[in-house]
Amino acid sequence: MKVKESKFISGNEAVAYGAITAGCRFFAGYPISPSSEIAENMSYLLPKYGGKFIQMEDEIASIGAAIGASIAGKKSMTATSGPGFSLKQENLGFACMAEIPLVVVDVMRGGPSTGAPTSPAQADILQSRWGTHGDHPIIVIAPTMVQEIFFEVIRAFNLAERFRNPVVLLIDEINGHMRAKVDIVDESEVEIWHRPKPENPVGWKTPYKRNEELVPLMPDFGDGARFNITGLDHSETGFPTGDPKVRQQLHYYLRDKIEKNKDKMIKSEYLNTEDAEIMVIAYGSTARSAMRAVEVLRSEGVKVGLFRPITLYPVPEKEIFEVCENVKKIVVPEMNLGQYVLEVERITKGKIPISKVNRTDGEPITPEQIIEAIKD
Amino acid sequence: MARKDIDYSKYLRLEYIPHIWCPGCGHGSIMKSIIRAVDELNLDKDKTVLVSGIGCSSRIVGYMDFNTLHTTHGRALAFATGIKLARPELNVIVASGDGDATAIGGNHFIHACRRNIDITLIVFNNFIYGMTGGQYSPTTPVGSYASTSPYGNIDPSFNICRLAEAAGATYVARANVYSIAQADNFIKKGIQNKGFSVIEVITHCPTYYGRKNKLKTPADNLRWQKEVSVSIHRAKKMTPEELEGKIITGEFVNKSEEEYTEKYERLIIEKAQGKI
Amino acid sequence: MMAETKEKKHEIVIIEKNCKGCEICVEFCPTNTLGMHMGKCVVVDLDKCIGCKMCEIRCPDFAIFVDNPYAENFKKNK
């Protein structure tokens, strides 16, 4: 891979650089700590590439504008933090329902409410999955390292475009503000996906006709198709329908689009898992402490491994099940009061004891805390 | 008065007509007015986008043969802003109601005016939330009855046009369904204006507003519009007391200021790319 | 004047399936050309029509057209 330049930048800046490489040409945002550097960097970078940045009047308008730009054909992104993520939920649901590609970055901070604006947390995990009303499809990615953020943003755009679905990228105050050397690469160096469209969009009247991956072949506005997009239950034509069969089928499609393609969305990392008797399951910046804990304990001869889901949703069920099949204990550290652990409990069906390591005091979970839980 | 024969069907998705609006609802008249304006301008249907929010007025997008987008409550202008910025060559029209535009979407309304982005907003002001059963809105006249003001409304109303003017819209006009031909002209000029245009059309909800406020039939509602309307020219000669309870119709703002997407191109993209 | 308008017969097309019976056209017809029958608008005296098109322009439902060559388009679907 040819590196264009190496920069000493924060995770938030890496989001912006990754987005540009992914082909993002529209960003709408609203200032909020600790995510504002994403908007700042997008306002600087986008016009250089002929893209557009706009600071909207609020969080709701930001995601609205981003969805609008995506409908008009631009790869679009918005970024925020906890309270702003709450505000965006209704329109996030719209994008899920209307199947509009979009990347939403949530730089997690302490909550609920105003909570701790400049302290880290991982407390928006369940919100990222179930924050908007109604059953809805969503893809959630939680990278750990700053360099990884750069590439995972590109993957987020690829998944958003390929599956015409919003992708939530969860980082937090730690890896969002942490600085590291990041290799920036051009789009020619990475895999880039574009949204599926009909071969000839002119006169296309079925924007929700699906390809073999169940993804709608939808033209962009202005392509000559003149179709309708709505958040109401709709048929293949994009027009509202009251037909129970068509409505039910739409909801199945939305679910199955993720369910049947989840192997193309799931990405995980395994560290010393083969012979492990104790499994740590950690994601995002907490995984860094977990890596250290595993390293220390391995040097002492403890058979501990780390499973790190990079895609949180769809949940890597098969992967978690397999990696935990032969262990005696599972440790799940997360900067919340126990959210993703619920998924682990569901998958392992209570057969293996789970030790939770939780913290919501605005301080990171330390390797020592995890070591203690492993040894306990 | 000779009127051009117009082929309304050219701009409609006929398979969805008749529309869902109640008998005598003014929204259909506004839709026809939009068609006449668009027809006169000969807008390219493929390059025209119609965006709406939620409520009775928002259902217009299903019927009109453009690129149509039915968004969330109050947010149509935010979506439209993204569309216009992404593809400035598209004609972007937004249809909204009084509640959609000035209550839940009030923030987006004033900020779209402020930016002067080339979008034409048509507000269907029927003084009520019709879709949800007739609750009072930011434009419900004081003393009027609604399903949530059973003792009469005490909340002062917004004057949508004055709000638009104060916030910076470069074309602002008000018409009513009784004299709907006037709206044709305002909508046409609004679309022609390179900037943010607000055309408020006073319409009526015979089902909810009318029934609760002694305007029993659709015709009663139209007669009421005629009674309370005063042209801007006549209003200039009237005292504030005489204007009490009146609705002024006409053009309030028609000025030329640099449009947002053009400004973005000239002052941001060119600067960022080192051209200036 | 009377003689002149009588010479010009106007064509009124009513699209019955679109008419919701709101009576706006009937109420505002300046010459009482229109009336109601079974909840729909009907022409009661075509000779009175002066072709002002106020009914067409006010009708919210694409249900009445006066001397409009495109009116038939609304009969086509369904």
Side-chain angles (χ1 to χ4, degrees):
Chain A
M1 198 181 286
K2 203 173 130 251
V3 176
K4 187 176 145 196
E5 59 180 320
S6 295
K7 282 178 166 290
F8 187 66
I9 53 174
S10 69
N12 281 349
E13 287 169 273
V15 168
Y17 282 96
I20 295 291
T21 299
C24 173
R25 291 298 176 266
F26 187 89
F27 181 96
Y30 185 82
I32 185 166
S33 300
S35 81
S36 300
E37 297 85 2
I38 300 175
E40 288 167 2
N41 279 271
M42 291 308 277
S43 74
Y44 173 77
L45 290 171
L46 270 174
K48 291 187 179 293
Y49 295 85
K52 304 274 172 68
F53 165 91
I54 187 166
Q55 184 171 307
M56 294 297 284
E57 54 274 16
D58 60 33
E59 296 281 1
I60 301 170
S62 301
I63 185 167
I67 296 169
S70 183
I71 287 168
K74 296 281 188 274
K75 290 189 182 182
S76 300
M77 180 168 81
T78 183
T80 187
S81 183
F85 192 50
S86 297
L87 284 164
K88 288 183 194 296
Q89 291 300 331
E90 187 195 5
N91 280 345
L92 183 64
F94 178 90
C96 296
M97 181 59 143
E99 302 183 65
I100 309 301
L102 177 73
V103 173
V104 179
V105 184
D106 175 17
V107 187
M108 293 181 286
R109 69 187 225 188
S113 189
T114 312
T118 55
S119 298
Q122 292 177 308
D124 303 351
I125 308 302
L126 291 182
Q127 191 193 17
S128 72
R129 175 63 195 92
W130 293 116
T132 195
H133 62 280
D135 289 294
H136 60 276
I138 199 89
I139 302 167
V140 182
I141 296 175
T144 297
M145 307 298 196
V146 179
Q147 176 74 69
E148 188 180 55
I149 290 172
F150 175 86
F151 287 114
E152 284 304 302
V153 170
I154 299 168
R155 198 169 72 92
F157 272 98
N158 285 343
L159 291 174
E161 293 284 318
R162 179 178 178 180
F163 297 105
R164 299 199 64 103
N165 207 80
V167 175
V168 177
L169 187 96
L170 290 178
I171 55 175
D172 60 63
E173 196 280 329
I174 298 178
N175 57 4
H177 282 161
M178 181 180 290
R179 287 180 177 272
K181 184 190 145 213
V182 174
D183 291 337
I184 312 276
V185 300
D186 267 338
E187 57 179 41
S188 55
E189 299 298 309
V190 287
E191 191 184 25
I192 298 286
W193 283 80
H194 299 284
R195 59 190 67 181
K197 284 205 221 180
E199 239 168 77
N200 179 14
V202 177
W204 188 261
K205 292 294 169 214
T206 48
Y208 291 92
K209 191 184 169 73
R210 290 162 199 277
N211 68 11
E212 64 288 347
E213 287 187 317
L214 301 181
V215 184
L217 296 164
M218 190 191 289
D220 296 327
F221 270 12
D223 281 353
R226 300 205 308 272
F227 57 97
N228 187 55
I229 297 175
T230 177
L232 285 164
D233 280 357
H234 47 270
S235 70
E236 196 176 70
T237 61
F239 288 96
T241 179
D243 182 339
K245 268 191 201 150
V246 179
R247 297 166 87 162
Q248 187 64 73
Q249 189 56 53
L250 168 66
H251 294 276
Y252 286 157
Y253 276 140
L254 292 177
R255 178 195 64 191
D256 293 348
K257 185 175 73 169
I258 303 293
E259 197 53 33
K260 297 208 163 124
N261 293 303
K262 64 180 175 189
D263 288 344
K264 297 160 192 164
M265 301 165 183
I266 287 170
K267 188 176 170 189
S268 317
E269 194 185 65
Y270 299 78
L271 177 67
N272 294 328
T273 55
E274 296 81 14
D275 62 342
E277 290 169 357
I278 299 164
M279 190 61 60
V280 181
I281 298 178
Y283 55 87
S285 54
T286 299
R288 289 193 76 142
S289 294
M291 286 171 195
R292 176 68 185 156
V294 169
E295 191 185 307
V296 169
L297 290 176
R298 276 279 166 179
S299 71
E300 293 173 9
V302 181
K303 286 191 172 171
V304 59
L306 169 68
F307 175 77
R308 180 167 74 93
I310 299 168
T311 304
L312 295 185
Y313 297 98
V315 180
E317 292 168 343
K318 183 169 54 91
E319 290 78 357
I320 290 176
F321 181 82
E322 283 171 6
V323 87
C324 293
E325 224 175 351
N326 299 312
V327 303
K328 295 189 186 105
K329 188 164 104 169
I330 302 166
V331 177
V332 183
E334 44 185 345
M335 287 186 280
N336 54 48
L337 295 180
Q339 296 192 10
Y340 205 65
V341 70
L342 298 171
E343 297 290 354
V344 179
E345 281 171 354
R346 177 173 68 82
I347 293 158
T348 56
K349 297 184 169 66
K351 286 177 186 158
I352 307 154
I354 297 176
S355 177
K356 296 191 271 187
V357 183
N358 305 112
R359 194 162 188 178
T360 56
D361 61 353
E363 296 295 319
I365 292 172
T366 62
E368 291 70 30
Q369 276 183 281
I370 299 169
I371 290 169
E372 202 180 303
I374 293 166
K375 284 184 169 171
D376 192 22
Chain B
M1 202 187 335
R3 287 193 178 88
K4 204 179 119 198
D5 294 320
I6 173 166
D7 182 8
Y8 290 103
S9 70
K10 200 176 135 191
Y11 299 92
L12 291 169
R13 290 159 171 158
L14 280 180
E15 61 272 36
Y16 297 102
I17 301 289
H19 49 63
I20 65 154
W21 294 313
C22 298
C25 170
H27 288 12
S29 304
I30 304 175
M31 178 156 76
K32 287 171 74 179
S33 177
I34 297 171
I35 293 175
R36 291 190 293 269
V38 163
D39 188 59
E40 190 124 341
L41 293 169
N42 213 8
L43 287 194
D44 181 349
K45 292 196 287 181
D46 286 333
K47 298 291 172 203
T48 302
V49 178
L50 182 64
V51 188
S52 71
I54 294 291
C56 293
S57 65
S58 77
R59 300 308 289 264
I60 190 173
V61 298
Y63 309 118
M64 299 201 73
D65 192 19
F66 299 127
N67 298 273
T68 55
L69 175 60
H70 180 212
T71 71
T72 49
H73 198 16
R75 320 302 173 196
L77 283 171
F79 283 70
T81 299
I83 292 169
K84 186 68 188 179
L85 262 175
R87 266 178 119 146
E89 73 274 19
L90 298 177
N91 310 302
V92 183
I93 302 169
V94 174
S96 191
D98 39 312
D100 194 54
T102 66
I104 193 165
N107 199 24
H108 314 309
F109 176 82
I110 54 174
H111 288 276
C113 291
R114 175 174 69 92
R115 287 186 196 102
N116 193 34
I117 187 161
D118 188 13
I119 293 171
T120 304
L121 170 68
I122 300 157
V123 184
F124 296 47
N125 182 3
N126 62 0
F127 311 104
I128 206 96
Y129 287 90
M131 188 65 91
T132 46
Q135 298 78 15
Y136 66 88
S137 86
T139 59
T140 304
V142 168
S144 289
Y145 295 93
S147 59
T148 46
S149 60
Y151 308 109
N153 175 38
I154 60 165
D155 296 18
S157 308
F158 262 144
N159 181 326
I160 295 177
C161 288
R162 284 176 67 188
L163 189 62
E165 181 179 357
T170 46
Y171 183 84
V172 181
R174 184 188 287 124
N176 60 40
V177 167
Y178 177 79
S179 311
I180 192 67
Q182 195 182 29
D184 303 5
N185 190 36
F186 293 163
I187 293 169
K188 192 179 105 185
K189 286 168 92 170
I191 295 170
Q192 281 174 315
N193 173 42
K194 198 100 185 82
F196 193 72
S197 308
V198 178
I199 296 97
E200 176 189 356
V201 185
I202 303 294
T203 176
H204 51 275
C205 174
T207 306
Y208 288 112
Y209 187 80
R211 271 211 299 239
K212 282 189 163 39
N213 292 283
K214 295 184 180 147
L215 298 166
K216 238 175 121 192
T217 68
D220 290 341
N221 284 269
L222 284 174
R223 282 187 209 102
W224 176 82
Q225 283 176 23
K226 188 188 171 194
E227 274 163 35
V228 299
S229 292
V230 174
S231 79
I232 187 168
H233 308 291
R234 199 147 64 85
K236 277 176 187 158
K237 294 171 201 144
M238 290 166 74
T239 64
E241 291 73 35
E242 287 171 322
L243 282 170
E244 190 67 41
K246 298 287 183 196
I247 298 172
I248 303 172
T249 57
E251 274 180 358
F252 302 98
V253 182
N254 187 359
K255 61 181 179 185
S256 178
E257 264 170 34
E258 191 172 17
E259 190 270 332
Y260 190 78
T261 60
E262 284 180 352
K263 220 189 270 183
Y264 196 97
E265 199 66 44
R266 184 173 69 81
L267 293 174
I268 295 182
I269 296 208
E270 292 197 1
K271 210 170 186 176
Q273 296 181 350
K275 288 178 199 158
I276 49 171
Chain C
M1 275 305 277
M2 274 313 272
E4 197 187 317
T5 45
K6 269 191 180 164
E7 273 166 35
K8 273 200 200 164
K9 265 275 169 66
H10 294 286
E11 191 201 7
I12 301 176
V13 175
I14 292 170
I15 312 293
E16 210 180 308
K17 70 177 172 64
N18 285 358
C19 178
K20 293 174 183 164
C22 72
E23 299 189 40
I24 286 176
C25 57
V26 179
E27 291 266 352
F28 291 97
C29 174
T31 60
N32 297 320
T33 301
L34 305 167
M36 294 300 289
H37 179 68
M38 306 279 280
K40 304 264 178 187
C41 145
V42 289
V43 178
V44 291
D45 191 349
L46 185 60
D47 286 346
K48 286 184 180 167
C49 178
I50 53 168
C52 72
K53 282 179 174 265
M54 283 322 294
C55 54
E56 175 180 320
I57 209 163
R58 284 224 175 87
C59 172
D61 293 296
F62 307 100
I64 188 164
F65 298 92
V66 181
D67 301 331
N68 188 327
Y70 306 106
E72 298 298 318
N73 291 349
F74 285 89
K75 283 187 175 165
K76 283 177 196 161
N77 74 301
K78 280 179 191 165

